[in-house]
Amino acid sequence: MGEFELISRHFKRPAPPLGAVILGVGDDGALLQPTPHHQLVISTDMLVEGRHFFPGVDPEALGHKVLAVNLSDLAAMGARPLGFTLALALPAADDAWLAAFARGLFALADAHACPLVGGDTTRGPLNLCVTVFGEVRPGHALRRDAARAGDDLWLSGRTGEARLALALRRGEPWATGDVSAVAARMDRPTPRLALGQALAATPGVRAALDVSDGLLGDLGHILNASGLGADIDLPGLPLAPALRGLAPEHQHHCLLAGGDDYELLFSADAAAHDAVLAAGRAAGVAVTRIGRLTNGPGLRVQDAQGRTIETPVRGFDHFAD
Ligand code: ADP
Ligand code: MG
């Protein structure tokens, strides 16, 4: 199978141009027509074998995940997806692998009406890179630098299960439980697109990001960009059943510094409390108030007695170790 046969067999689909796509796979460039007077939102994320996923991982799940992590960035901006490109380095043209990968990829793409419009395919160590294109109404993007002191801090869903799945697969001694209860949180994250768009349309919702490298580390990006501090209420964090049996230290690590969660962390004016809950209901996603933003610098996590506890504040950093 040659390069062009591979592309047309697995990645070029006969479907007519959809939504914003005037011209898709097959030309030197794709043509997208955003809604008039909207702004483009563009984001890229790469998954590298051995770094972001285990060798031999289920290709269907990988197809899902490489698009999901990118759609999660659009969700965090409050954007509506328009389309995406896919750059692939493959060690070999394995037909069965490609078919499963494309199945996972297109199932998620179709669920969000986000068509594949182009890409690049080359031989090399397994490496997947997606670029997503989305749109927002001017002034409605959820930016990291838009938080204000006194804002409530909110989290969608719950954190920590993907970290527990990773620990169980690695055989980390503290991790207990059944990996099948948490594996999907690591392998098939759900991009919170409906929630992101509902929040962008909710007055009083200010800053947002998606939690990919650990709750506290990612919160640090909002605090730095907005020049604020935060108080987090640890007992107020939603706790997955699978995390209940862990020793407190490991439970806190999963909740606060786990990574791979792909939940939305966002700030909103206290007056928007009920509107935020309504946005969560409309999107079918639980949203929980987990703390508030403060004028002073610094991030404090308080336990049930109001005592500040020691926390791992650093998120994941590819070049830190
Ligand atoms: P060019 O040489 O003009 O850059 P290529 O030969 O790399 O184009 O690709 C041919 C067409 O196939 C282009 O439209 C490109 O966007 C598309 N394409 C290549 N790889 C992929 C892929 N993995 N998924 C989707 N489209 C792809
Ligand atoms: Mg060309």
Side-chain angles (χ1 to χ4, degrees):
M1 180 170 50
E3 175 188 339
F4 299 106
E5 192 192 341
L6 185 161
I7 295 165
S8 67
R9 189 179 310 179
H10 294 290
F11 298 113
K12 187 176 163 105
R13 298 205 300 173
L18 178 73
V21 181
I22 308 299
L23 183 62
V25 171
D27 213 312
D28 294 310
L31 288 173
L32 300 187
Q33 180 64 65
T35 307
H37 310 300
H38 281 53
Q39 292 172 337
L40 276 179
V41 180
I42 300 165
S43 183
T44 296
D45 256 312
M46 181 159 59
L47 296 187
V48 176
E49 185 178 54
R51 190 75 201 172
H52 300 95
F53 57 91
F54 292 115
V57 73
D58 170 17
E60 187 168 353
L62 197 57
H64 173 98
K65 187 163 180 176
V66 71
L67 181 57
V69 302
N70 278 278
L71 289 176
S72 179
D73 284 317
L74 287 188
M77 296 302 292
R80 183 175 82 85
L82 299 175
F84 71 104
T85 59
L86 169 68
L88 277 178
L90 301 168
D94 177 337
D95 216 31
W97 192 96
L98 281 161
F101 175 82
R103 221 171 22 248
L105 182 80
F106 285 123
L108 185 65
D110 292 349
H112 293 289
C114 182
L116 177 62
V117 299
D120 197 24
T121 307
T122 175
R123 192 187 289 269
L126 185 57
N127 193 329
L128 318 164
C129 184
V130 163
T131 300
V132 281
F133 304 86
E135 65 178 20
V136 287
R137 289 164 57 205
H140 283 70
L142 301 171
R143 301 165 50 132
R144 297 177 178 189
D145 61 4
R148 294 193 203 157
D151 279 1
D152 288 333
L153 191 62
W154 294 80
L155 178 71
S156 73
R158 56 203 189 193
T159 55
E161 287 153 289
R163 182 65 185 88
L164 178 58
L166 175 67
L168 288 166
R169 284 180 172 154
R170 281 182 177 163
E172 292 180 40
W174 56 267
T176 55
D178 180 2
V179 71
S180 70
V182 286
R185 288 303 310 255
M186 178 177 174
D187 298 335
R188 307 182 66 86
T190 304
R192 304 299 191 189
L193 282 159
L195 179 63
Q197 289 165 72
L199 293 173
T202 302
V205 175
R206 298 207 172 99
L209 52 61
D210 66 321
V211 179
S212 54
D213 296 329
L215 178 60
L216 295 190
D218 283 331
L219 172 57
H221 297 313
I222 290 182
L223 301 185
N224 288 337
S226 298
L228 298 172
D231 290 327
I232 304 280
D233 172 34
L234 185 61
L237 283 181
L239 186 64
L243 269 55
R244 292 209 176 111
L246 299 178
E249 168 199 1
H250 299 297
Q251 193 184 77
H252 298 164
H253 176 75
C254 287
L255 285 173
L256 299 171
D260 249 6
D261 297 302
Y262 302 103
E263 294 295 348
L264 298 186
L265 177 66
F266 56 98
S267 92
D269 191 295
H273 181 275
D274 292 351
V276 169
L277 291 177
R281 273 196 304 277
V285 184
V287 289
T288 308
R289 204 184 73 89
I290 63 164
R292 54 193 289 279
L293 299 181
T294 60
N295 255 316
L299 176 50
R300 284 161 301 276
V301 178
Q302 294 186 324
D303 69 10
Q305 284 72 43
R307 289 180 306 231
T308 300
I309 63 155
E310 290 279 330
T311 53
V313 285
R314 222 166 46 103
F316 185 74
D317 178 334
H318 284 283
F319 292 101
D321 315 297

